[in-house]
Every structure is written in structure tokens, then in C-alpha cells.
Amino acid sequence: MRCKHARAALVQATSSGPATSGGTATLSAEVRAHLAACPACAAEWAALREADALLASLTPAPVPDDAFFAQLEARVAQAVATTPGPAARPA
């Protein structure tokens, strides 16, 4: 297996959700064998797993409530109403 194909499989494995069982359960035997023989791809897999774990540990951002959007809409409307339009061009 070439690095190009192995790396594509690694990205696909991390994109499909958090890695399980030490991070190799979602990888084919061929990809696991490549990782065992290729230090560069093994390092990339470790970095992808670390990034995946960091992303999984993040707390989701709060979703703004309806009052936030109502206030935002009012502020935008006020800004539009009080901002002069473009200057007229001479004919």
C-alpha cells in the first residue's frame, strides 16, 4: 500500500467519528500493516487521533435563543435606517 492511499484511509477513519479501540478498529488490516511499516504515516495517524480527541473534548457552543436574534434584527434595522445611502452621482 502506498502512503497516498493509507493517508486517505486515515482521514476517512477520523472523519467518520471518534476512533475506537486505541484508534485502529476502523482501519483495514492493510492500512494497519502500512502503519506498522511506515513511520511517517504512523506519525500522521497519531496526530489525527490527537486532533480527534481534542475536538471530542470540546464543549459545544451555546445556541443563541430567540431573544438574541430579535435584538440582532432590531439593531441591524436601526443601523440600516440611520446610515445614509450612497451619495448621488452627478449626471
Side-chain angles (χ1 to χ4, degrees), residues 4-48:
K4 177 181 176 180
H5 300 291
R7 288 183 175 149
L10 300 180
V11 170
Q12 184 176 3
T14 55
S15 299
S16 63
T20 57
S21 300
T24 58
T26 58
L27 300 176
S28 70
E30 186 179 15
V31 174
R32 287 194 304 265
H34 180 82
L35 292 176
C38 179
C41 287
E44 184 163 343
W45 179 234
L48 286 169

PDB file of all heavy atoms in Angstrom, residues 4-48:
ATOM      1  N   LYS A   4      -0.075   7.494  -0.036  1.00  0.00           N
ATOM      2  CA  LYS A   4      -1.217   8.280  -0.510  1.00  0.00           C
ATOM      3  C   LYS A   4      -2.533   7.586  -0.158  1.00  0.00           C
ATOM      4  O   LYS A   4      -3.479   8.219   0.327  1.00  0.00           O
ATOM      5  CB  LYS A   4      -1.095   8.494  -2.013  1.00  0.00           C
ATOM      6  CG  LYS A   4      -2.240   9.225  -2.645  1.00  0.00           C
ATOM      7  CD  LYS A   4      -2.031   9.360  -4.145  1.00  0.00           C
ATOM      8  CE  LYS A   4      -3.225  10.002  -4.825  1.00  0.00           C
ATOM      9  NZ  LYS A   4      -3.022  10.143  -6.269  1.00  0.00           N
ATOM     10  N   HIS A   5      -2.617   6.286  -0.404  1.00  0.00           N
ATOM     11  CA  HIS A   5      -3.838   5.530  -0.133  1.00  0.00           C
ATOM     12  C   HIS A   5      -4.040   5.337   1.368  1.00  0.00           C
ATOM     13  O   HIS A   5      -5.174   5.400   1.858  1.00  0.00           O
ATOM     14  CB  HIS A   5      -3.804   4.184  -0.850  1.00  0.00           C
ATOM     15  CG  HIS A   5      -3.688   4.336  -2.335  1.00  0.00           C
ATOM     16  ND1 HIS A   5      -4.700   4.843  -3.123  1.00  0.00           N
ATOM     17  CD2 HIS A   5      -2.658   4.079  -3.173  1.00  0.00           C
ATOM     18  CE1 HIS A   5      -4.306   4.874  -4.381  1.00  0.00           C
ATOM     19  NE2 HIS A   5      -3.063   4.419  -4.443  1.00  0.00           N
ATOM     20  N   ALA A   6      -2.962   5.123   2.085  1.00  0.00           N
ATOM     21  CA  ALA A   6      -3.066   4.954   3.531  1.00  0.00           C
ATOM     22  C   ALA A   6      -3.564   6.242   4.182  1.00  0.00           C
ATOM     23  O   ALA A   6      -4.452   6.207   5.036  1.00  0.00           O
ATOM     24  CB  ALA A   6      -1.716   4.562   4.121  1.00  0.00           C
ATOM     25  N   ARG A   7      -3.021   7.377   3.765  1.00  0.00           N
ATOM     26  CA  ARG A   7      -3.433   8.659   4.352  1.00  0.00           C
ATOM     27  C   ARG A   7      -4.892   8.956   4.052  1.00  0.00           C
ATOM     28  O   ARG A   7      -5.611   9.497   4.895  1.00  0.00           O
ATOM     29  CB  ARG A   7      -2.515   9.769   3.873  1.00  0.00           C
ATOM     30  CG  ARG A   7      -1.155   9.655   4.519  1.00  0.00           C
ATOM     31  CD  ARG A   7      -0.226  10.777   4.126  1.00  0.00           C
ATOM     32  NE  ARG A   7       1.016  10.649   4.878  1.00  0.00           N
ATOM     33  CZ  ARG A   7       2.183  11.018   4.422  1.00  0.00           C
ATOM     34  NH1 ARG A   7       2.284  11.572   3.227  1.00  0.00           N
ATOM     35  NH2 ARG A   7       3.267  10.858   5.151  1.00  0.00           N
ATOM     36  N   ALA A   8      -5.348   8.601   2.870  1.00  0.00           N
ATOM     37  CA  ALA A   8      -6.766   8.798   2.551  1.00  0.00           C
ATOM     38  C   ALA A   8      -7.636   7.958   3.489  1.00  0.00           C
ATOM     39  O   ALA A   8      -8.672   8.423   3.974  1.00  0.00           O
ATOM     40  CB  ALA A   8      -7.032   8.431   1.099  1.00  0.00           C
ATOM     41  N   ALA A   9      -7.214   6.744   3.773  1.00  0.00           N
ATOM     42  CA  ALA A   9      -7.959   5.877   4.692  1.00  0.00           C
ATOM     43  C   ALA A   9      -7.931   6.435   6.110  1.00  0.00           C
ATOM     44  O   ALA A   9      -8.916   6.350   6.847  1.00  0.00           O
ATOM     45  CB  ALA A   9      -7.386   4.463   4.665  1.00  0.00           C
ATOM     46  N   LEU A  10      -6.808   7.035   6.505  1.00  0.00           N
ATOM     47  CA  LEU A  10      -6.704   7.605   7.847  1.00  0.00           C
ATOM     48  C   LEU A  10      -7.656   8.776   8.007  1.00  0.00           C
ATOM     49  O   LEU A  10      -8.352   8.898   9.024  1.00  0.00           O
ATOM     50  CB  LEU A  10      -5.265   8.064   8.118  1.00  0.00           C
ATOM     51  CG  LEU A  10      -4.181   6.997   8.062  1.00  0.00           C
ATOM     52  CD1 LEU A  10      -2.810   7.613   8.345  1.00  0.00           C
ATOM     53  CD2 LEU A  10      -4.475   5.872   9.033  1.00  0.00           C
ATOM     54  N   VAL A  11      -7.699   9.639   7.013  1.00  0.00           N
ATOM     55  CA  VAL A  11      -8.597  10.796   7.070  1.00  0.00           C
ATOM     56  C   VAL A  11     -10.044  10.322   7.100  1.00  0.00           C
ATOM     57  O   VAL A  11     -10.859  10.836   7.872  1.00  0.00           O
ATOM     58  CB  VAL A  11      -8.343  11.749   5.885  1.00  0.00           C
ATOM     59  CG1 VAL A  11      -9.416  12.808   5.789  1.00  0.00           C
ATOM     60  CG2 VAL A  11      -6.973  12.390   6.021  1.00  0.00           C
ATOM     61  N   GLN A  12     -10.350   9.333   6.291  1.00  0.00           N
ATOM     62  CA  GLN A  12     -11.718   8.808   6.268  1.00  0.00           C
ATOM     63  C   GLN A  12     -12.087   8.208   7.622  1.00  0.00           C
ATOM     64  O   GLN A  12     -13.196   8.388   8.107  1.00  0.00           O
ATOM     65  CB  GLN A  12     -11.872   7.769   5.173  1.00  0.00           C
ATOM     66  CG  GLN A  12     -13.296   7.265   5.038  1.00  0.00           C
ATOM     67  CD  GLN A  12     -13.463   6.300   3.885  1.00  0.00           C
ATOM     68  OE1 GLN A  12     -12.508   5.956   3.197  1.00  0.00           O
ATOM     69  NE2 GLN A  12     -14.669   5.863   3.662  1.00  0.00           N
ATOM     70  N   ALA A  13     -11.152   7.527   8.250  1.00  0.00           N
ATOM     71  CA  ALA A  13     -11.419   6.906   9.551  1.00  0.00           C
ATOM     72  C   ALA A  13     -11.683   7.961  10.616  1.00  0.00           C
ATOM     73  O   ALA A  13     -12.566   7.788  11.458  1.00  0.00           O
ATOM     74  CB  ALA A  13     -10.251   6.018   9.966  1.00  0.00           C
ATOM     75  N   THR A  14     -10.951   9.060  10.586  1.00  0.00           N
ATOM     76  CA  THR A  14     -11.173  10.094  11.597  1.00  0.00           C
ATOM     77  C   THR A  14     -12.408  10.922  11.260  1.00  0.00           C
ATOM     78  O   THR A  14     -13.063  11.436  12.153  1.00  0.00           O
ATOM     79  CB  THR A  14      -9.958  11.024  11.750  1.00  0.00           C
ATOM     80  OG1 THR A  14      -9.625  11.571  10.494  1.00  0.00           O
ATOM     81  CG2 THR A  14      -8.778  10.296  12.332  1.00  0.00           C
ATOM     82  N   SER A  15     -12.762  11.037   9.991  1.00  0.00           N
ATOM     83  CA  SER A  15     -13.943  11.810   9.597  1.00  0.00           C
ATOM     84  C   SER A  15     -15.242  11.082   9.923  1.00  0.00           C
ATOM     85  O   SER A  15     -16.282  11.703  10.042  1.00  0.00           O
ATOM     86  CB  SER A  15     -13.916  12.105   8.096  1.00  0.00           C
ATOM     87  OG  SER A  15     -12.794  12.866   7.762  1.00  0.00           O
ATOM     88  N   SER A  16     -15.186   9.785  10.067  1.00  0.00           N
ATOM     89  CA  SER A  16     -16.398   9.010  10.313  1.00  0.00           C
ATOM     90  C   SER A  16     -16.781   8.967  11.780  1.00  0.00           C
ATOM     91  O   SER A  16     -17.771   8.376  12.137  1.00  0.00           O
ATOM     92  CB  SER A  16     -16.238   7.589   9.770  1.00  0.00           C
ATOM     93  OG  SER A  16     -15.200   6.922  10.445  1.00  0.00           O
ATOM     94  N   GLY A  17     -16.012   9.581  12.642  1.00  0.00           N
ATOM     95  CA  GLY A  17     -16.338   9.630  14.062  1.00  0.00           C
ATOM     96  C   GLY A  17     -15.120   9.323  14.894  1.00  0.00           C
ATOM     97  O   GLY A  17     -14.059   9.003  14.373  1.00  0.00           O
ATOM     98  N   PRO A  18     -15.283   9.433  16.216  1.00  0.00           N
ATOM     99  CA  PRO A  18     -14.147   9.175  17.100  1.00  0.00           C
ATOM    100  C   PRO A  18     -13.578   7.767  16.910  1.00  0.00           C
ATOM    101  O   PRO A  18     -14.327   6.813  16.719  1.00  0.00           O
ATOM    102  CB  PRO A  18     -14.732   9.334  18.499  1.00  0.00           C
ATOM    103  CG  PRO A  18     -15.979  10.127  18.306  1.00  0.00           C
ATOM    104  CD  PRO A  18     -16.484   9.799  16.930  1.00  0.00           C
ATOM    105  N   ALA A  19     -12.294   7.675  16.923  1.00  0.00           N
ATOM    106  CA  ALA A  19     -11.633   6.372  16.792  1.00  0.00           C
ATOM    107  C   ALA A  19     -11.905   5.541  18.035  1.00  0.00           C
ATOM    108  O   ALA A  19     -12.071   6.061  19.119  1.00  0.00           O
ATOM    109  CB  ALA A  19     -10.139   6.573  16.593  1.00  0.00           C
ATOM    110  N   THR A  20     -11.972   4.230  17.864  1.00  0.00           N
ATOM    111  CA  THR A  20     -12.246   3.342  18.988  1.00  0.00           C
ATOM    112  C   THR A  20     -11.133   2.325  19.125  1.00  0.00           C
ATOM    113  O   THR A  20     -10.311   2.155  18.237  1.00  0.00           O
ATOM    114  CB  THR A  20     -13.581   2.592  18.770  1.00  0.00           C
ATOM    115  OG1 THR A  20     -13.499   1.879  17.540  1.00  0.00           O
ATOM    116  CG2 THR A  20     -14.758   3.553  18.730  1.00  0.00           C
ATOM    117  N   SER A  21     -11.116   1.634  20.229  1.00  0.00           N
ATOM    118  CA  SER A  21     -10.153   0.557  20.488  1.00  0.00           C
ATOM    119  C   SER A  21      -8.722   0.967  20.199  1.00  0.00           C
ATOM    120  O   SER A  21      -8.005   0.313  19.458  1.00  0.00           O
ATOM    121  CB  SER A  21     -10.504  -0.681  19.654  1.00  0.00           C
ATOM    122  OG  SER A  21     -11.791  -1.132  19.981  1.00  0.00           O
ATOM    123  N   GLY A  22      -8.313   2.098  20.740  1.00  0.00           N
ATOM    124  CA  GLY A  22      -6.947   2.542  20.532  1.00  0.00           C
ATOM    125  C   GLY A  22      -6.740   3.187  19.185  1.00  0.00           C
ATOM    126  O   GLY A  22      -5.630   3.457  18.787  1.00  0.00           O
ATOM    127  N   GLY A  23      -7.805   3.414  18.462  1.00  0.00           N
ATOM    128  CA  GLY A  23      -7.705   4.159  17.229  1.00  0.00           C
ATOM    129  C   GLY A  23      -7.515   3.350  15.968  1.00  0.00           C
ATOM    130  O   GLY A  23      -7.454   3.904  14.899  1.00  0.00           O
ATOM    131  N   THR A  24      -7.436   2.022  16.047  1.00  0.00           N
ATOM    132  CA  THR A  24      -7.198   1.249  14.829  1.00  0.00           C
ATOM    133  C   THR A  24      -8.369   0.354  14.442  1.00  0.00           C
ATOM    134  O   THR A  24      -8.313  -0.308  13.420  1.00  0.00           O
ATOM    135  CB  THR A  24      -5.928   0.379  14.975  1.00  0.00           C
ATOM    136  OG1 THR A  24      -6.097  -0.480  16.098  1.00  0.00           O
ATOM    137  CG2 THR A  24      -4.687   1.233  15.116  1.00  0.00           C
ATOM    138  N   ALA A  25      -9.433   0.343  15.218  1.00  0.00           N
ATOM    139  CA  ALA A  25     -10.560  -0.558  14.934  1.00  0.00           C
ATOM    140  C   ALA A  25     -11.214  -0.258  13.597  1.00  0.00           C
ATOM    141  O   ALA A  25     -11.739  -1.162  12.950  1.00  0.00           O
ATOM    142  CB  ALA A  25     -11.591  -0.489  16.052  1.00  0.00           C
ATOM    143  N   THR A  26     -11.188   0.995  13.156  1.00  0.00           N
ATOM    144  CA  THR A  26     -11.857   1.364  11.911  1.00  0.00           C
ATOM    145  C   THR A  26     -10.942   1.205  10.699  1.00  0.00           C
ATOM    146  O   THR A  26     -11.381   1.445   9.585  1.00  0.00           O
ATOM    147  CB  THR A  26     -12.352   2.814  11.984  1.00  0.00           C
ATOM    148  OG1 THR A  26     -11.242   3.673  12.228  1.00  0.00           O
ATOM    149  CG2 THR A  26     -13.381   3.000  13.068  1.00  0.00           C
ATOM    150  N   LEU A  27      -9.709   0.798  10.894  1.00  0.00           N
ATOM    151  CA  LEU A  27      -8.747   0.667   9.797  1.00  0.00           C
ATOM    152  C   LEU A  27      -8.675  -0.769   9.300  1.00  0.00           C
ATOM    153  O   LEU A  27      -8.750  -1.715  10.079  1.00  0.00           O
ATOM    154  CB  LEU A  27      -7.358   1.111  10.258  1.00  0.00           C
ATOM    155  CG  LEU A  27      -7.236   2.554  10.732  1.00  0.00           C
ATOM    156  CD1 LEU A  27      -5.834   2.825  11.244  1.00  0.00           C
ATOM    157  CD2 LEU A  27      -7.600   3.525   9.629  1.00  0.00           C
ATOM    158  N   SER A  28      -8.483  -0.914   8.011  1.00  0.00           N
ATOM    159  CA  SER A  28      -8.342  -2.257   7.441  1.00  0.00           C
ATOM    160  C   SER A  28      -7.003  -2.849   7.870  1.00  0.00           C
ATOM    161  O   SER A  28      -6.081  -2.135   8.297  1.00  0.00           O
ATOM    162  CB  SER A  28      -8.409  -2.188   5.910  1.00  0.00           C
ATOM    163  OG  SER A  28      -7.243  -1.564   5.398  1.00  0.00           O
ATOM    164  N   ALA A  29      -6.888  -4.152   7.719  1.00  0.00           N
ATOM    165  CA  ALA A  29      -5.635  -4.836   8.050  1.00  0.00           C
ATOM    166  C   ALA A  29      -4.497  -4.305   7.185  1.00  0.00           C
ATOM    167  O   ALA A  29      -3.359  -4.171   7.648  1.00  0.00           O
ATOM    168  CB  ALA A  29      -5.796  -6.339   7.875  1.00  0.00           C
ATOM    169  N   GLU A  30      -4.793  -3.975   5.938  1.00  0.00           N
ATOM    170  CA  GLU A  30      -3.775  -3.460   5.032  1.00  0.00           C
ATOM    171  C   GLU A  30      -3.242  -2.107   5.517  1.00  0.00           C
ATOM    172  O   GLU A  30      -2.033  -1.861   5.512  1.00  0.00           O
ATOM    173  CB  GLU A  30      -4.358  -3.315   3.625  1.00  0.00           C
ATOM    174  CG  GLU A  30      -3.342  -2.916   2.584  1.00  0.00           C
ATOM    175  CD  GLU A  30      -3.942  -2.809   1.179  1.00  0.00           C
ATOM    176  OE1 GLU A  30      -5.183  -2.765   1.047  1.00  0.00           O
ATOM    177  OE2 GLU A  30      -3.153  -2.774   0.234  1.00  0.00           O
ATOM    178  N   VAL A  31      -4.147  -1.249   5.981  1.00  0.00           N
ATOM    179  CA  VAL A  31      -3.720   0.064   6.477  1.00  0.00           C
ATOM    180  C   VAL A  31      -2.941  -0.110   7.781  1.00  0.00           C
ATOM    181  O   VAL A  31      -1.903   0.532   7.980  1.00  0.00           O
ATOM    182  CB  VAL A  31      -4.932   1.007   6.665  1.00  0.00           C
ATOM    183  CG1 VAL A  31      -4.512   2.315   7.319  1.00  0.00           C
ATOM    184  CG2 VAL A  31      -5.612   1.277   5.336  1.00  0.00           C
ATOM    185  N   ARG A  32      -3.406  -0.981   8.651  1.00  0.00           N
ATOM    186  CA  ARG A  32      -2.679  -1.214   9.915  1.00  0.00           C
ATOM    187  C   ARG A  32      -1.273  -1.740   9.639  1.00  0.00           C
ATOM    188  O   ARG A  32      -0.310  -1.343  10.291  1.00  0.00           O
ATOM    189  CB  ARG A  32      -3.472  -2.175  10.799  1.00  0.00           C
ATOM    190  CG  ARG A  32      -4.719  -1.521  11.404  1.00  0.00           C
ATOM    191  CD  ARG A  32      -5.326  -2.351  12.532  1.00  0.00           C
ATOM    192  NE  ARG A  32      -5.666  -3.710  12.129  1.00  0.00           N
ATOM    193  CZ  ARG A  32      -6.873  -4.099  11.723  1.00  0.00           C
ATOM    194  NH1 ARG A  32      -7.857  -3.239  11.661  1.00  0.00           N
ATOM    195  NH2 ARG A  32      -7.088  -5.351  11.389  1.00  0.00           N
ATOM    196  N   ALA A  33      -1.133  -2.614   8.651  1.00  0.00           N
ATOM    197  CA  ALA A  33       0.195  -3.140   8.291  1.00  0.00           C
ATOM    198  C   ALA A  33       1.072  -2.011   7.750  1.00  0.00           C
ATOM    199  O   ALA A  33       2.271  -1.939   8.063  1.00  0.00           O
ATOM    200  CB  ALA A  33       0.067  -4.254   7.258  1.00  0.00           C
ATOM    201  N   HIS A  34       0.476  -1.121   6.963  1.00  0.00           N
ATOM    202  CA  HIS A  34       1.242   0.009   6.434  1.00  0.00           C
ATOM    203  C   HIS A  34       1.714   0.907   7.574  1.00  0.00           C
ATOM    204  O   HIS A  34       2.868   1.349   7.582  1.00  0.00           O
ATOM    205  CB  HIS A  34       0.406   0.811   5.434  1.00  0.00           C
ATOM    206  CG  HIS A  34       1.145   1.973   4.862  1.00  0.00           C
ATOM    207  ND1 HIS A  34       2.035   1.843   3.816  1.00  0.00           N
ATOM    208  CD2 HIS A  34       1.153   3.295   5.209  1.00  0.00           C
ATOM    209  CE1 HIS A  34       2.554   3.038   3.541  1.00  0.00           C
ATOM    210  NE2 HIS A  34       2.021   3.927   4.369  1.00  0.00           N
ATOM    211  N   LEU A  35       0.851   1.159   8.546  1.00  0.00           N
ATOM    212  CA  LEU A  35       1.233   1.998   9.691  1.00  0.00           C
ATOM    213  C   LEU A  35       2.391   1.376  10.469  1.00  0.00           C
ATOM    214  O   LEU A  35       3.261   2.096  10.972  1.00  0.00           O
ATOM    215  CB  LEU A  35       0.046   2.229  10.623  1.00  0.00           C
ATOM    216  CG  LEU A  35      -1.088   3.086  10.079  1.00  0.00           C
ATOM    217  CD1 LEU A  35      -2.232   3.147  11.091  1.00  0.00           C
ATOM    218  CD2 LEU A  35      -0.594   4.477   9.744  1.00  0.00           C
ATOM    219  N   ALA A  36       2.383   0.068  10.573  1.00  0.00           N
ATOM    220  CA  ALA A  36       3.460  -0.618  11.299  1.00  0.00           C
ATOM    221  C   ALA A  36       4.791  -0.484  10.575  1.00  0.00           C
ATOM    222  O   ALA A  36       5.852  -0.491  11.214  1.00  0.00           O
ATOM    223  CB  ALA A  36       3.104  -2.097  11.482  1.00  0.00           C
ATOM    224  N   ALA A  37       4.747  -0.316   9.244  1.00  0.00           N
ATOM    225  CA  ALA A  37       5.985  -0.256   8.461  1.00  0.00           C
ATOM    226  C   ALA A  37       6.398   1.154   8.056  1.00  0.00           C
ATOM    227  O   ALA A  37       7.526   1.356   7.599  1.00  0.00           O
ATOM    228  CB  ALA A  37       5.823  -1.108   7.207  1.00  0.00           C
ATOM    229  N   CYS A  38       5.508   2.134   8.216  1.00  0.00           N
ATOM    230  CA  CYS A  38       5.789   3.485   7.717  1.00  0.00           C
ATOM    231  C   CYS A  38       5.722   4.499   8.864  1.00  0.00           C
ATOM    232  O   CYS A  38       4.634   4.882   9.297  1.00  0.00           O
ATOM    233  CB  CYS A  38       4.798   3.860   6.619  1.00  0.00           C
ATOM    234  SG  CYS A  38       5.054   5.524   5.956  1.00  0.00           S
ATOM    235  N   PRO A  39       6.879   4.959   9.354  1.00  0.00           N
ATOM    236  CA  PRO A  39       6.878   5.911  10.465  1.00  0.00           C
ATOM    237  C   PRO A  39       6.169   7.228  10.145  1.00  0.00           C
ATOM    238  O   PRO A  39       5.524   7.802  11.017  1.00  0.00           O
ATOM    239  CB  PRO A  39       8.369   6.157  10.733  1.00  0.00           C
ATOM    240  CG  PRO A  39       9.089   5.020  10.099  1.00  0.00           C
ATOM    241  CD  PRO A  39       8.226   4.557   8.969  1.00  0.00           C
ATOM    242  N   ALA A  40       6.243   7.685   8.903  1.00  0.00           N
ATOM    243  CA  ALA A  40       5.606   8.959   8.540  1.00  0.00           C
ATOM    244  C   ALA A  40       4.088   8.850   8.648  1.00  0.00           C
ATOM    245  O   ALA A  40       3.425   9.737   9.204  1.00  0.00           O
ATOM    246  CB  ALA A  40       6.020   9.380   7.134  1.00  0.00           C
ATOM    247  N   CYS A  41       3.538   7.776   8.115  1.00  0.00           N
ATOM    248  CA  CYS A  41       2.084   7.591   8.193  1.00  0.00           C
ATOM    249  C   CYS A  41       1.638   7.308   9.627  1.00  0.00           C
ATOM    250  O   CYS A  41       0.575   7.752  10.058  1.00  0.00           O
ATOM    251  CB  CYS A  41       1.620   6.483   7.250  1.00  0.00           C
ATOM    252  SG  CYS A  41       1.676   6.983   5.504  1.00  0.00           S
ATOM    253  N   ALA A  42       2.454   6.580  10.372  1.00  0.00           N
ATOM    254  CA  ALA A  42       2.135   6.314  11.776  1.00  0.00           C
ATOM    255  C   ALA A  42       2.095   7.620  12.564  1.00  0.00           C
ATOM    256  O   ALA A  42       1.218   7.823  13.412  1.00  0.00           O
ATOM    257  CB  ALA A  42       3.143   5.344  12.382  1.00  0.00           C
ATOM    258  N   ALA A  43       3.022   8.516  12.274  1.00  0.00           N
ATOM    259  CA  ALA A  43       3.034   9.822  12.955  1.00  0.00           C
ATOM    260  C   ALA A  43       1.806  10.637  12.563  1.00  0.00           C
ATOM    261  O   ALA A  43       1.195  11.312  13.406  1.00  0.00           O
ATOM    262  CB  ALA A  43       4.312  10.579  12.619  1.00  0.00           C
ATOM    263  N   GLU A  44       1.437  10.576  11.295  1.00  0.00           N
ATOM    264  CA  GLU A  44       0.236  11.303  10.859  1.00  0.00           C
ATOM    265  C   GLU A  44      -1.009  10.737  11.523  1.00  0.00           C
ATOM    266  O   GLU A  44      -1.892  11.475  11.949  1.00  0.00           O
ATOM    267  CB  GLU A  44       0.097  11.254   9.345  1.00  0.00           C
ATOM    268  CG  GLU A  44      -1.074  12.088   8.864  1.00  0.00           C
ATOM    269  CD  GLU A  44      -1.036  12.407   7.391  1.00  0.00           C
ATOM    270  OE1 GLU A  44       0.026  12.278   6.769  1.00  0.00           O
ATOM    271  OE2 GLU A  44      -2.081  12.799   6.877  1.00  0.00           O
ATOM    272  N   TRP A  45      -1.091   9.423  11.649  1.00  0.00           N
ATOM    273  CA  TRP A  45      -2.233   8.789  12.315  1.00  0.00           C
ATOM    274  C   TRP A  45      -2.287   9.216  13.778  1.00  0.00           C
ATOM    275  O   TRP A  45      -3.364   9.510  14.300  1.00  0.00           O
ATOM    276  CB  TRP A  45      -2.133   7.275  12.164  1.00  0.00           C
ATOM    277  CG  TRP A  45      -3.247   6.501  12.832  1.00  0.00           C
ATOM    278  CD1 TRP A  45      -3.103   5.499  13.733  1.00  0.00           C
ATOM    279  CD2 TRP A  45      -4.656   6.650  12.632  1.00  0.00           C
ATOM    280  NE1 TRP A  45      -4.324   5.010  14.110  1.00  0.00           N
ATOM    281  CE2 TRP A  45      -5.300   5.707  13.447  1.00  0.00           C
ATOM    282  CE3 TRP A  45      -5.424   7.498  11.848  1.00  0.00           C
ATOM    283  CZ2 TRP A  45      -6.693   5.578  13.501  1.00  0.00           C
ATOM    284  CZ3 TRP A  45      -6.809   7.371  11.912  1.00  0.00           C
ATOM    285  CH2 TRP A  45      -7.426   6.423  12.729  1.00  0.00           C
ATOM    286  N   ALA A  46      -1.146   9.276  14.424  1.00  0.00           N
ATOM    287  CA  ALA A  46      -1.119   9.720  15.822  1.00  0.00           C
ATOM    288  C   ALA A  46      -1.608  11.162  15.935  1.00  0.00           C
ATOM    289  O   ALA A  46      -2.381  11.500  16.842  1.00  0.00           O
ATOM    290  CB  ALA A  46       0.283   9.578  16.399  1.00  0.00           C
ATOM    291  N   ALA A  47      -1.186  12.016  15.024  1.00  0.00           N
ATOM    292  CA  ALA A  47      -1.615  13.420  15.046  1.00  0.00           C
ATOM    293  C   ALA A  47      -3.111  13.536  14.774  1.00  0.00           C
ATOM    294  O   ALA A  47      -3.809  14.333  15.423  1.00  0.00           O
ATOM    295  CB  ALA A  47      -0.819  14.229  14.022  1.00  0.00           C
ATOM    296  N   LEU A  48      -3.625  12.747  13.839  1.00  0.00           N
ATOM    297  CA  LEU A  48      -5.061  12.772  13.553  1.00  0.00           C
ATOM    298  C   LEU A  48      -5.869  12.294  14.749  1.00  0.00           C
ATOM    299  O   LEU A  48      -6.907  12.869  15.081  1.00  0.00           O
ATOM    300  CB  LEU A  48      -5.377  11.910  12.324  1.00  0.00           C
ATOM    301  CG  LEU A  48      -4.983  12.503  10.978  1.00  0.00           C
ATOM    302  CD1 LEU A  48      -5.088  11.444   9.878  1.00  0.00           C
ATOM    303  CD2 LEU A  48      -5.852  13.703  10.644  1.00  0.00           C
TER     304      LEU A  48
END
